[in-house]
Amino acid sequence: MATLTPAPPPAPAPAPMWRRRGEGPRALLWLSPWLVGVSIFFVYPLVSTVYFSFHRYDMYTLEFVGLANYRYLLQDPRVLTSAGNTLWLVLVMVPATVLFSLGLAQLVIRLKAGSGFFRTIFYLPSLVPVTAGTITFVFLLNPSTGPWNQFLALFGIDGPDWFGDPAWSKPSLTLLSLWSCGQLAVIFMAALLDVPRHLYEAAAIDGAGAWRQFRSVTLPVIAPVLMFALVTNIIYALQYFAQAMIASRVASGATDSPGSSFSPGYPDESLLTLPQWLFQAGFRDYSMGYASVLALLLFGTAMIFTLILLRQFRRAEEGS
């Protein structure tokens, strides 16, 4: 009678590569500069901001107040105003800048001659310092002495008070953003030039027109670059500070002379953005605890917009 031989026990699972070869500590060693940088410049400031948001902190004394700063956030009328202005920039200025840059890139790469010259001309405004560019733009759009309104008057058009009228102040900043979008346009030019030519030829053979080629060939290929442009410009709009502050100050005629005062957001708080109100609360009113709450609000808003865009981009990739 044959005896049954018991089956040998299963072999143990092989140890991970990093354990067998000691690559774990080596990987951590190579990652240490990144880990140190993220810990110092992101994790520690974020944790400190959360900590200070539960305190009344005037740069000298620290007092725990619990959720008082968060409750005041819901009652502060300027939060709603500044958040609305910032949201306007995200929903209007960002799409306008991205679409204008993309259209500009399309026009330049289709030029038969002089494309390098126009590429340089369109890129130059992005090299102008923010302060100088904003001040120059405010003077160009000055309703009484600016050349732009004088040019419109030649055609019988009464130009508006660009930075002095609340209805035109944010559109004026959008024009400033369009004027300085050369860097983004150059990025789009590089992306458009990388689209394979044979895809356009195949689409043309199938009878696709210019719009169909753009929608079915160009957009899917440049989608990662388009996503990068949208995410970075939304974060930029949420942090919009210098241009709005400078335009308000110059248009209002405010100076730093003794006895003079300047309230950000001129005219009528139409240019008051959330970063400006954060700066006012933290460094003018010395309410760093409340400013920390505003900073967390900005951070959370940026994360929400980024996650929504990334989710939509992933869905578009899965559907294509």
Side-chain angles (χ1 to χ4, degrees):
M1 182 176 180
T3 59
L4 297 177
T5 304
M17 186 68 68
W18 61 271
R19 288 185 178 178
R20 287 184 296 168
R21 300 185 180 180
E23 293 188 0
R26 187 183 305 173
L28 290 177
L29 178 63
W30 286 107
L31 288 173
S32 58
W34 180 84
L35 293 174
V36 171
V38 169
S39 301
I40 295 177
F41 298 108
F42 179 75
V43 176
Y44 172 73
L46 181 60
V47 173
S48 299
T49 302
V50 174
Y51 174 77
F52 287 127
S53 68
F54 295 102
H55 294 76
R56 181 181 291 112
Y57 181 44
D58 60 358
M59 308 291 288
Y60 297 100
T61 59
L62 187 66
E63 178 187 356
F64 180 77
V65 294
L67 297 176
N69 290 324
Y70 291 88
R71 287 193 293 266
Y72 181 71
L73 176 72
L74 302 176
Q75 303 171 1
D76 187 358
R78 286 198 170 186
V79 168
L80 186 60
T81 301
S82 59
N85 293 332
T86 304
L87 185 62
W88 191 98
L89 296 176
V90 172
L91 298 180
V92 177
M93 187 181 72
V94 170
T97 303
V98 172
L99 292 177
F100 184 77
S101 303
L102 182 57
L104 196 64
Q106 285 272 24
L107 290 175
V108 172
I109 65 172
R110 292 179 182 274
L111 292 176
K112 300 299 181 181
S115 60
F117 170 77
F118 286 104
R119 188 184 299 118
T120 304
I121 292 298
F122 293 141
Y123 182 74
L124 283 177
S126 63
L127 300 179
V128 178
V130 171
T131 303
T134 306
I135 293 175
T136 302
F137 212 76
V138 172
F139 280 108
L140 287 175
L141 298 182
N142 188 288
S144 56
T145 61
W148 180 243
N149 275 14
Q150 295 179 5
F151 174 76
L152 293 178
L154 298 177
F155 302 93
I157 301 175
D158 188 14
D161 187 1
W162 297 93
F163 285 99
D165 187 349
W168 285 94
S169 56
K170 287 189 287 292
S172 300
L173 285 181
T174 303
L175 292 177
L176 174 61
S177 177
L178 298 182
W179 174 71
S180 58
C181 70
Q183 186 174 8
L184 183 58
V186 170
I187 294 175
F188 278 131
M189 290 178 203
L192 291 171
L193 291 173
D194 281 343
V195 179
R197 297 294 98 186
H198 69 270
L199 296 179
Y200 290 119
E201 296 172 359
I205 293 174
D206 290 339
W211 169 246
R212 183 64 182 275
Q213 291 181 24
F214 177 78
R215 189 181 63 181
S216 302
V217 177
T218 305
L219 280 182
V221 175
I222 69 169
V225 179
L226 190 61
M227 176 59 59
F228 167 80
L230 285 173
V231 171
T232 54
N233 277 270
I234 285 176
I235 295 175
Y236 171 75
L238 290 173
Q239 298 175 347
Y240 206 76
F241 177 84
Q243 292 91 331
M245 177 70 80
I246 295 169
S248 296
R249 180 177 288 273
V250 175
S252 66
T255 63
D256 291 326
S257 58
S260 63
S261 61
F262 170 71
S263 180
Y266 176 89
D268 295 338
E269 297 185 349
S270 61
L271 294 184
L272 179 64
T273 60
L274 204 53
Q276 287 186 79
W277 186 230
L278 189 158
F279 175 82
Q280 181 76 18
F283 297 98
R284 293 290 178 86
D285 300 337
Y286 298 104
S287 181
M288 296 301 296
Y290 183 57
S292 298
V293 175
L294 295 175
L296 292 174
L297 176 63
L298 270 177
F299 175 75
T301 306
M303 288 294 295
I304 290 173
F305 273 105
T306 303
L307 291 176
I308 291 175
L309 285 174
L310 292 177
R311 185 176 180 181
Q312 294 298 323
F313 176 67
R314 190 177 297 112
R315 284 183 177 178
E317 279 191 329
E318 292 175 354
S320 60

